[in-house]
Amino acid sequence: MIDVSRKFRLFLCVCLLPAAVLGQDTNWQHKDLQKDSVFGISTERAYGLLHGKKHKEVIVAVIDGGTDTAHEDLRDVLWVNAREKAANGMDDDHDGYIDDVHGWDFIGGKDSDVHYDNLELTRLLRDRAPRFDTMTAASASPGDTAALAEYRRMKTEYDQAHTRVANIVEGIGRFKTIMNVMLARIGKDSPTLADWQAYVPDDEGQQHVRDILVAQLKKGGSFRQLVREGIDAPLEHFSAELNYHYNMAYDPRYIVGDDYNNTGQRYYGNADVTGPDALHGTHVAGIIAAERDNGKGMDGVADDVRLMIIRVVPDGDERDKDVANGIRFAADHGARVINMSFGKGYTKDKPVVDSAVKYALSKDVLLVQAAGN
């Protein structure tokens, strides 16, 4: 019998539910509960109170996974380093960064950019394995007892997570394999609800797959949408976790080409602030400052700001050295606000991040850090 994991079933149930739409208003989030009967954040009401008052431009640094600088709702609100000439391969402003026109990418190298990386848990275990993997409680020195216990606890956490993700990937893969056999028998690329209801399963596994597909198609949407959002998307997500996040053998830092253990190193990376996956960073930048009142897309929260884009977050856990350098870059280049929508369960070099935060605070920079999802 096919074993479809609980998380996979959750994806099927959640990803395919009809979206709740508040009319066609792309700016409902700015409305006011008292005035509009909508649970917005009262942005427009606040701007009404500020009408006619003096204001000045503020630079907001978005430290994230990259932002689409060509986006039609963002390109006109980007910070521009006036002392740097674009794409001339020179450090015109002598700040140590070449062509840093809109910001900097601390996880890029000469020829490419880091897309995927490990979780910090994976990196810490990889670093500590040579010392602790064969150590026993009996052979440990008094000074190693606590560190060995922590290593074992982390290893248990890693093993459990790795097993869970591997089982999810296997379960979704098995589901898809059985479904493809059924598709071939139906003879259609996108069978309808009626087609699946009429299908007579060969065995218990096919019966299970059929029941799930029928239940989801009854909620609306096409079969292809169901496959794309409820099967292929979670399979891609969890496969990335297995192949990169929890893969001890994977380490992409060679792409950057820095001395990774030198936490004081500042000048590395490249000027590609978009990177290979700018979805999250573009989302965040748009919430902050998508150009207001231009008739395109949504309106951002902040008017009269310029977005400085700093890329430090891969698909995986950000590294403390990069975060610290991103904060320092922002503070040194005039950012008044730094937004950081990331976080992780473990840290390698907390003091280097703490030092960068204190440095930014000394320049009167407001740091906004996500508290969680």
Side-chain angles (χ1 to χ4, degrees):
M1 176 178 177
I2 183 171
D3 175 25
V4 182
S5 75
R6 289 174 60 196
K7 181 161 284 193
F8 175 42
R9 290 197 295 272
L10 179 63
F11 263 100
L12 282 173
C13 292
V14 173
C15 290
L16 303 172
L17 288 176
V21 179
L22 289 168
Q24 299 299 317
D25 190 349
T26 56
N27 288 305
W28 65 266
Q29 68 277 7
H30 296 308
K31 293 188 179 298
D32 177 72
L33 177 60
Q34 198 172 43
K35 179 182 176 183
D36 307 303
S37 299
V38 175
F39 280 97
I41 59 174
S42 304
T43 319
E44 300 308 332
R45 188 176 179 185
Y47 276 111
L49 296 172
L50 295 171
H51 182 71
K53 296 190 180 293
K54 292 183 179 180
H55 56 93
K56 62 180 181 179
E57 187 175 276
V58 174
I59 299 172
V60 178
V62 178
I63 303 182
D64 211 287
T67 296
D68 181 4
T69 56
H71 194 288
E72 64 176 1
D73 226 7
L74 296 175
R75 62 193 176 203
D76 292 332
V77 296
L78 294 174
W79 169 74
V80 176
N81 185 351
R83 297 188 300 159
E84 192 77 18
K85 295 179 181 179
N88 68 352
M90 298 176 62
D91 181 13
D92 301 293
D93 60 356
H94 306 292
D95 65 348
Y97 303 99
I98 296 173
D99 295 333
D100 54 322
V101 175
H102 297 306
W104 195 250
D105 174 12
F106 283 99
I107 52 173
K110 181 181 177 181
D111 301 313
S112 61
D113 298 285
V114 173
H115 186 178
Y116 298 99
D117 206 337
N118 310 127
L119 298 186
E120 193 68 77
L121 172 64
T122 303
R123 295 193 290 258
L124 289 173
L125 286 173
R126 183 170 59 223
D127 289 346
R128 298 176 187 183
R131 179 181 176 189
F132 293 110
D133 218 26
T134 58
M135 187 182 293
T136 65
S139 65
S141 67
D144 283 336
T145 302
L148 176 61
E150 181 186 29
Y151 175 82
R152 288 182 171 179
R153 179 185 58 77
M154 292 168 60
K155 187 68 164 60
T156 298
E157 179 182 340
Y158 169 88
D159 289 340
Q160 290 175 345
H162 185 277
T163 298
R164 174 184 60 82
V165 173
N167 287 340
I168 291 172
V169 171
E170 182 183 5
I172 300 176
R174 198 158 57 240
F175 184 99
K176 190 171 181 179
T177 297
I178 294 174
M179 181 187 72
N180 286 339
V181 171
M182 299 165 72
L183 274 174
R185 183 170 150 190
I186 293 173
K188 293 183 179 180
D189 182 62
S190 186
T192 64
L193 171 61
D195 291 327
W196 286 108
Q197 289 174 322
Y199 185 91
V200 180
D202 287 340
D203 52 35
E204 195 174 1
Q206 288 194 4
Q207 179 71 51
H208 196 57
V209 170
R210 174 191 170 278
D211 289 348
I212 290 178
L213 295 177
V214 167
Q216 295 305 317
L217 287 171
K218 282 182 177 179
K219 296 177 181 179
S222 69
F223 170 73
R224 278 298 144 199
Q225 180 188 10
L226 186 155
V227 171
R228 182 174 62 254
E229 298 177 3
I231 299 174
D232 288 345
L235 181 59
E236 180 181 357
H237 170 81
F238 288 110
S239 293
E241 287 196 353
L242 189 63
N243 295 330
Y244 305 111
H245 297 183
Y246 292 105
N247 185 355
M248 291 278 190
Y250 181 74
D251 183 358
R253 196 64 187 190
Y254 70 92
I255 292 173
V256 179
D258 65 322
D259 178 1
Y260 180 57
N261 292 316
N262 179 6
T263 57
Q265 185 180 6
R266 297 281 306 281
Y267 306 108
Y268 60 91
N270 66 37
D272 179 13
V273 296
T274 298
D277 182 5
L279 182 63
H280 186 270
T282 303
H283 174 100
V284 169
I287 291 173
I288 296 170
E291 189 171 358
R292 295 176 58 79
D293 304 319
N294 65 347
K296 298 177 181 178
M298 59 170 276
D299 291 342
V301 171
D303 198 6
D304 207 7
V305 303
R306 287 292 176 262
L307 295 171
M308 178 187 296
I309 311 303
I310 301 173
R311 183 170 180 264
V312 307
V313 185
D315 186 334
D317 277 346
E318 64 280 358
R319 300 189 184 220
D320 298 328
K321 175 182 177 180
D322 303 330
V323 171
N325 281 328
I327 293 171
R328 287 180 178 274
F329 180 97
D332 285 339
H333 289 80
R336 305 298 297 152
V337 181
I338 296 175
N339 186 86
M340 298 174 286
S341 301
F342 51 80
K344 55 185 178 179
Y346 289 89
T347 181
K348 179 181 180 180
D349 297 307
K350 186 177 184 296
V352 75
V353 177
D354 291 344
S355 176
V357 168
K358 292 175 182 176
Y359 178 76
L361 292 175
S362 75
K363 289 179 170 287
D364 199 26
V365 178
L366 172 66
L367 294 97
V368 182
Q369 169 63 43
N373 284 330

